[in-house]
Amino acid sequence: ALVAIEAIMAVITKIGDIAASIASSVEEQTAVTNDISANMQSAAQGVEHITTSMQSISSATAQIDVATQNVRKASQSLM
């Protein structure tokens, strides 16, 4: 009976070690997931900034086009 109890205790100890290992892995995975999430948020903010900049460039280009057409019309009227 003593041998059986020792065998059961050994199994319980192994289960405890495995559970601790799993808990540690879950903690590490959570930390990595949080890092990935933070990086994705940073990337999304960067994309938003680029989009805003591209819209500003597009608007400025349209304004330059209108100004160029006005200069062309004015120069043609001088001829």
Side-chain angles (χ1 to χ4, degrees):
L2 182 60
V3 174
I5 291 174
E6 288 175 347
I8 292 171
M9 292 295 289
V11 170
I12 290 172
T13 301
K14 285 183 181 181
I15 291 172
D17 292 344
I18 292 170
S21 177
I22 290 170
S24 175
S25 295
V26 168
E27 286 179 23
E28 288 179 32
Q29 185 176 9
T30 299
V32 170
T33 301
N34 289 339
D35 286 343
I36 291 170
S37 177
N39 290 337
M40 291 300 294
Q41 288 176 354
S42 179
Q45 290 172 349
V47 169
E48 184 178 339
H49 179 70
I50 290 169
T51 300
T52 300
S53 296
M54 292 300 292
Q55 289 170 344
S56 295
I57 291 169
S58 177
S59 176
T61 302
Q63 291 173 0
I64 291 169
D65 185 49
V66 169
T68 303
Q69 290 176 16
N70 290 338
V71 169
R72 184 179 300 134
K73 288 177 186 177
S75 66
Q76 288 173 350
S77 69
L78 295 175
M79 296 178 150

